[in-house]
Amino acid sequence: MEKILSGVLALVTLVFSSCSCNQNKEDDLLKEENPAPEVPKGRDDETGTGETDGYKLVWADYFNGTELNTEDWNIEVNGNGGGNNELQFYRAANVTVENGCLVLTAKKQDYNNKAFTSGRLNTKNKRFFTHGKIESSIMMPKTANGLWPAFWLLGNDIDANPWPNCGEIDIVEMGHSTGIKNGTQETYFNGACHWGFYKDGGYPNYARSSNAPYSIQDGEFHLFTLIWDETAVAMYLDMDKYPDVEPYYKMNIDSTDGEWATGKYFHHDFFIVYDLAVGGNFPGIWNADGITALADGDRSMYINYVKVYQK
């Protein structure tokens, strides 16, 4: 009887050992087919546009450590769709600091009744500013089709003055449905502002889209700069390389005539937001099957640094 049991146990051990070896081989093959993306190194040159035209640096984060500085940043955790019918659940695990970069990673991952996870964070009630030159060096992911990376600002009084009354300044967004339709996802981008309050089913906003003269999803870092003063908000692409570049977006904010006047909504403290959304109203994709950007694995948005200058 003992010999029979011994033989059975040996056979079971052999079967499980064989299964384990086969599973390990399958795992190794999967890793070879879908290797983890290498985290790029942040640029050694972190000068940006520098202290020009009377602007002095008042705050910066170069993300050169190994952890996010939670004295400056809040990681958002939710699956509420951002008011835009987005498809992701924002998790803390998708926000990391690696190799001199802040990294937001979008994944095809079932989590809390969502088909995707990603990352979003902000400086609300921790780092907020009225006017200045605000810029960030960003390596954009390939957005086609369905990713929606953004670098933007929200009014720090949002709890007392719910959106859009608090004001919103979108410094850069990519992944719009027009770029998808025209096959210009790597060059099509925009800036925008939202403000005021709902009246007769609408509220005031102004967005302007552009096609960059080169890809800004080329695996390189690009600088996005907002110059925001008493008279206007203006946004620039790669101003560190091209100091005389014209703004891709500009809106005057000096009018106080009327209840929706821009001058009433853009002269108070705003905080910084980064996010990498998946699907929703901006890309015009509301079904997980329409998201092709993550078909071959994860995609990440890399932020080399963010800087705030004031006069």
Side-chain angles (χ1 to χ4, degrees):
M1 187 67 166
E2 289 180 359
K3 289 182 179 180
I4 293 173
L5 287 174
S6 176
V8 170
L9 287 173
L11 179 61
V12 170
T13 301
L14 180 61
V15 169
F16 272 98
S17 176
S18 176
C19 289
S20 177
C21 288
N22 288 337
Q23 183 63 56
N24 289 338
K25 288 177 181 178
E26 289 176 8
D27 290 344
D28 289 341
L29 286 171
L30 284 172
K31 287 178 182 177
E32 290 175 9
E33 292 174 2
N34 299 299
E38 183 179 350
V39 177
K41 184 179 184 299
R43 290 178 58 186
D44 292 330
D45 181 4
E46 297 177 324
T47 305
T49 57
E51 295 184 328
T52 58
D53 301 323
Y55 283 104
K56 300 296 181 184
L57 186 67
V58 296
W59 177 73
D61 197 336
Y62 299 95
F63 307 110
N64 288 331
T66 57
E67 295 182 353
L68 188 71
N69 182 356
T70 54
E71 291 185 3
D72 291 340
W73 297 97
N74 308 295
I75 296 178
E76 299 189 34
V77 177
N78 66 71
N80 61 24
N84 304 296
N85 299 303
E86 299 159 21
L87 303 178
Q88 79 290 321
F89 194 99
Y90 285 127
R91 300 184 66 194
N94 297 58
V95 179
T96 57
V97 174
E98 305 175 64
N99 216 6
C101 291
L102 168 64
V103 186
L104 307 185
T105 301
K107 300 172 179 282
K108 192 177 191 312
Q109 178 182 37
D110 291 328
Y111 188 84
N112 275 14
N113 299 316
K114 298 285 185 176
F116 307 95
T117 63
S118 194
R120 171 167 164 160
L121 73 168
N122 66 67
T123 63
K124 179 184 173 185
N125 294 329
K126 294 181 176 180
R127 294 289 181 176
F128 43 87
F129 315 91
T130 300
H131 303 150
K133 180 172 67 170
I134 301 169
E135 64 187 17
S136 187
S137 177
I138 302 172
M139 182 186 294
M140 291 291 186
K142 299 281 189 181
T143 58
N145 288 345
L147 293 188
W148 176 9
F151 164 44
W152 50 299
L153 310 179
L154 272 173
N156 201 55
D157 61 345
I158 189 171
D159 291 337
N161 292 302
W163 188 93
N165 193 56
C166 63
E168 175 179 333
I169 303 172
D170 300 326
I171 301 172
V172 60
E173 299 175 279
M174 295 198 79
H176 192 268
S177 57
T178 300
I180 295 173
K181 178 183 177 181
N182 295 336
T184 55
Q185 295 98 321
E186 294 196 17
T187 59
Y188 193 84
F189 71 115
N190 77 276
C193 285
H194 307 265
W195 68 96
F197 53 89
Y198 282 93
K199 181 179 179 181
D200 299 327
Y203 66 91
N205 64 93
Y206 169 55
R208 185 173 186 273
S209 299
S210 304
N211 270 303
Y214 44 82
S215 173
I216 47 180
Q217 296 181 12
D218 57 356
E220 301 291 336
F221 287 96
H222 293 276
L223 189 70
F224 300 91
T225 301
L226 166 72
I227 296 181
W228 166 33
D229 58 26
E230 293 81 359
T231 61
V233 292
M235 305 165 191
Y236 302 83
L237 172 64
D238 287 333
M239 202 178 190
D240 54 338
K241 301 173 186 174
Y242 311 107
D244 298 323
V245 67
E246 291 295 313
Y248 60 83
Y249 179 98
K250 187 172 183 178
M251 185 180 81
N252 291 334
I253 56 171
D254 55 353
S255 172
T256 57
D257 185 17
E259 58 187 4
W260 279 352
T262 54
K264 296 181 178 179
Y265 297 92
F266 292 100
H267 300 294
H268 63 276
D269 288 334
F270 279 63
F271 62 85
I272 295 168
V273 187
Y274 290 102
D275 67 67
L276 179 53
V278 182
N281 299 347
F282 192 79
I285 301 174
W286 301 277
N287 189 300
D289 293 338
I291 306 298
T292 64
L294 300 174
D296 296 325
D298 303 344
R299 290 279 184 259
S300 295
M301 175 182 182
Y302 301 98
I303 298 99
N304 191 184
Y305 58 82
V306 58
K307 297 185 176 188
V308 179
Y309 303 81
Q310 291 181 318
K311 290 187 177 180

